[in-house]
Amino acid sequence: MVAASGSGSRDGWSSRTAFVLAAIGSAVGLGNLVRFPAEAAQNGGGAFVVFYIACIVLIGLPVLLSETLIGRHGQSSATVSVRRMAEQSGAPKAWEGIAALGVLGSTMILAFYCVIGGWVVNYIWLFFNDLIQSGVMGGALPGMSGEDIAAIFPSLLEDGMTMSVLDLIFLGLTFYFVARGVSSGIEVMATWLMPAFFILLLGITVYGAFGGAFSETLTYLFTFDFSKLTGPVMLAAVGQAFFSLSLGMAGMITYGSYVGRNVNLAGTSAIIASADTAVALIAGLCIFPIVLAAGLSTDGGLGLMFDTLPHAFQSMPAGSLVGLAFFIMVGFAALTSSVALMEVPTAWAMEKFQARRLPCATIIGLIVLVLGTLSAYSLNTLSGFHPLGFIPLFEGQGIFDVLDGMTAKLLMPIGALLICIFVGWVADPKLIDDENGLTGALHLFWRFLVRYLCPVALAAILVVGLFPDLVSA
Ligand code: PHE
C-alpha cells in the first residue's frame, strides 16, 4: 500500500486508524507494563506517579507532536526529515544529528528490550505448560513451593544461554514484521494485536479489582508526598515519560513520516499520549492489587513482574489461565514496540544506503543480536564487566543496565531537549504551523510549551538528576 500522502512509491500507513494503532503500539510496551510499575515502586509511589503525569502532559505531548510533525513534513527517514526541515529553515543541516542520536539510541534500546521480550516468551511457555498440566480452575504452578517459584526468575537470569536463545526468538519475530514493511507488516500486526491487548488488559484488571487490594493500591499510587520528589526521582519520571511515549529516539519521527497529509497531528498525538498513560496507570492498577493482596513486596524492580506476580498467580483461582493471558498480553505490547524500535534504524539504513528493506533489517538484526547476547550475559558471566564504570551514573553497571540507563536517563531527555529547541527556535514557524493542526489559544500554549517550558524544565531536570549533590549542597 502506498502512503496516503501521495509521496510516490514510499510505503506508509493505509489510514489514520492504522497510524494511531501503530503509534499506540509503539508507545504501549514493556515501558508501561514492566518499567512504569517498577520505577513507581522504587521512586516513592505517588510522588513519582503525579510528577510523571505532569511530565506527559506538559513535556511529552508537545514533544510527541513535534516529532510526528517533523516526520510528516520530511516524508523520509528520521535524519533526512530533520535535515529537510533544517535546510528549508535556513539552518545548518547538522541538526540531523538529533535524529542520528535517535537511530543509535533505538538500536541500543532494542538490544536489551528483546532480552526482556525473551523473558516474556519464557513465562508464556511456563504458564502454557502449567495450564495444560494443571487445568483451568486451580491456582498456577500447583506443585511448586514458594522457594521453587522464587527461584524461577533468578535462575533464568543466571542462564545466559537460555536468555540468548529467547532473545533470538523475540528478535526473530520483530524482524519478521519489520522485514514485511510498513503497511503489510507493522500495520497489519498492530491492527490485530492492539485490540487484543486492550481486551486482555481490561479483563485482567477487572479480575484483579475484584480479588485484589484495590483501595490500598489507589493510596499507594496516588498519594503525593512532596518530600520524596528529589532530583533523581524527577529525572526517573521524565525519562520514564519519554521511554513510554517512545520519544527522543526518532521513533515518532519515523512513524510520523508514514502519515498522510490529511491527518490532524495534534489530535492524534493527544489520543496516543492518553492511551499510553491510561495503560501505564491501568498496569499499576492491575499489578499492584494482585501483589498487595498476596502480601508481597512491591519494591522488586523488574522482578515485580517476573518474580512477584507468579507467586500471586499461584494463590489465584484460575491462576494458570490468568498468568498465561497476562504474559501473552505483555508479549503483544512488547512486540508492537520492538517493531517500532527496529523500524527506526531500518528506515535510516534504507535511505542512507539506498538499499532494500530486507538486507537493512537483516544487518540491524545481527547487530542487535550481538548487543542483546552481551546484555544477557552481562547479568551473569559478564557481570563484573562495567563498560562505563568510570562515570558515576553507570558505576557498577553491566551492559544491560548501561544500555537502559544511558538511553532513558541521558539520550532520551537530551534528544527531546534538542527537538524542542529545533522546533521551537530553529525551524521556520510557517513550516511548523502548516503541520501541527493547532489554532488559537491552543496553538499559543503549544508554542509556549515547546519554546520555553519544555527546554527549561528538561535542562533543569537533567542537571538535578545527573548532579544531585550539586543541588543539595
Ligand atoms: N515506548 C516503548 C515502551 O513503553 C519503548 C520504546 C521506546 C519504543 C522508544 C519505541 C521507541 O515499552
Side-chain angles (χ1 to χ4, degrees), residues 9 13 32-33 57 135 137 172 179 242 279 290 308 315 369 413 432 435:
S9 61
W13 314 120
N32 307 57
L33 304 172
V57 177
M137 289 328 286
F242 287 139
V279 173
I290 299 178
T308 315
S315 48
L369 184 63
I432 306 286
E435 295 286 347

Side-chain angles (χ1 to χ4, degrees), residues 32 69 114 125 130 155 166 223 249 306 311 329 341 449:
N32 307 57
L69 72 79
C114 287
W125 184 238
D130 187 50
S155 48
L166 292 166
T223 309
M249 293 284 92
F306 297 104
H311 280 100
M329 166 191 91
L341 284 161
L449 292 179

Side-chain angles (χ1 to χ4, degrees), residues 50-75:
V50 174
F51 191 73
Y52 170 83
I53 296 175
C55 287
I56 293 274
V57 177
L58 295 175
I59 307 178
L61 192 50
V63 175
L64 176 59
L65 177 53
S66 302
E67 286 204 15
T68 44
L69 72 79
I70 293 174
R72 195 208 8 223
H73 184 76
Q75 296 287 314

Side-chain angles (χ1 to χ4, degrees), residues 26-32 109 113 243-247 249 337 340-341 412:
S26 160
V28 170
L30 296 169
N32 307 57
I109 298 179
Y113 208 86
F243 189 89
S244 195
L245 286 178
S246 311
L247 298 179
M249 293 284 92
S337 297
L341 284 161
M412 290 186 141

Side-chain angles (χ1 to χ4, degrees), residues 50-400:
V50 174
F51 191 73
Y52 170 83
I53 296 175
C55 287
I56 293 274
V57 177
L58 295 175
I59 307 178
L61 192 50
V63 175
L64 176 59
L65 177 53
S66 302
E67 286 204 15
T68 44
L69 72 79
I70 293 174
R72 195 208 8 223
H73 184 76
Q75 296 287 314
S76 189
S77 75
T79 43
V80 175
S81 294
V82 177
R83 190 198 309 157
R84 222 164 249 174
M85 190 170 268
E87 279 174 348
Q88 289 170 2
S89 309
K93 70 178 194 169
W95 277 100
E96 72 178 275
I98 320 176
L101 197 78
V103 172
L104 185 76
S106 295
T107 315
M108 288 164 63
I109 298 179
L110 183 62
F112 74 87
Y113 208 86
C114 287
V115 175
I116 310 183
W119 300 347
V120 177
V121 173
N122 182 66
Y123 281 80
I124 292 178
W125 184 238
L126 179 83
F127 281 101
F128 175 72
N129 276 316
D130 187 50
L131 183 65
I132 302 232
Q133 272 154 30
S134 47
V136 174
M137 289 328 286
L141 313 168
M144 293 176 96
S145 69
E147 286 93 62
D148 293 341
I149 295 183
I152 299 176
F153 190 49
S155 48
L156 178 63
L157 295 186
E158 276 307 305
D159 188 348
M161 187 65 196
T162 303
M163 276 197 287
S164 304
V165 173
L166 292 166
D167 172 34
L168 179 64
I169 296 176
F170 192 80
L171 180 59
L173 281 170
T174 307
F175 168 82
Y176 173 78
F177 290 106
V178 172
R180 296 199 53 141
V182 178
S183 53
S184 29
I186 303 180
E187 170 178 327
V188 171
M189 179 191 67
T191 36
W192 282 98
L193 294 195
M194 287 323 286
F197 166 84
F198 279 104
I199 293 171
L200 286 169
L201 180 70
L202 284 182
I204 295 172
T205 310
V206 170
Y207 182 90
F210 282 116
F214 209 65
S215 62
E216 243 175 292
T217 302
L218 289 180
T219 319
Y220 179 75
L221 282 181
F222 298 108
T223 309
F224 187 64
D225 178 353
F226 192 71
S227 68
K228 288 191 177 157
L229 200 63
T230 59
V233 170
M234 290 195 277
L235 181 61
V238 133
Q240 176 58 26
F242 287 139
F243 189 89
S244 195
L245 286 178
S246 311
L247 298 179
M249 293 284 92
M252 289 297 179
I253 303 183
T254 307
Y255 270 23
S257 78
Y258 303 125
V259 177
R261 297 224 50 92
N262 50 341
V263 172
N264 177 325
L265 292 178
T268 47
S269 298
I271 297 174
I272 296 162
S274 319
D276 184 64
T277 309
V279 173
L281 296 177
I282 294 175
L285 295 177
C286 176
I287 290 172
F288 285 114
I290 299 178
V291 175
L292 293 172
L296 299 163
S297 151
T298 51
D299 56 359
L302 294 179
L304 194 60
M305 172 171 295
F306 297 104
D307 207 352
T308 315
L309 278 183
H311 280 100
F313 291 137
Q314 190 178 38
S315 48
M316 280 174 128
S320 331
L321 186 64
V322 180
L324 179 63
F326 182 86
F327 283 104
I328 288 179
M329 166 191 91
V330 178
F332 284 179
L335 197 58
T336 50
S337 297
S338 61
V339 157
L341 284 161
M342 193 167 189
E343 177 62 16
V344 177
T346 305
W348 170 82
M350 283 167 69
E351 214 289 324
K352 176 92 187 161
F353 305 110
Q354 292 295 313
R356 278 179 307 114
R357 182 170 275 276
L358 188 64
C360 293
T362 307
I363 292 173
I364 285 154
L366 290 174
I367 296 173
V368 169
L369 184 63
V370 171
L371 272 177
T373 308
L374 287 173
S375 317
Y377 277 99
S378 78
L379 301 173
N380 40 72
T381 319
L382 297 178
S383 63
F385 176 52
H386 306 146
L388 297 181
F390 52 92
I391 303 172
L393 188 65
F394 302 114
E395 211 175 285
Q397 293 186 2
I399 301 171
F400 185 101

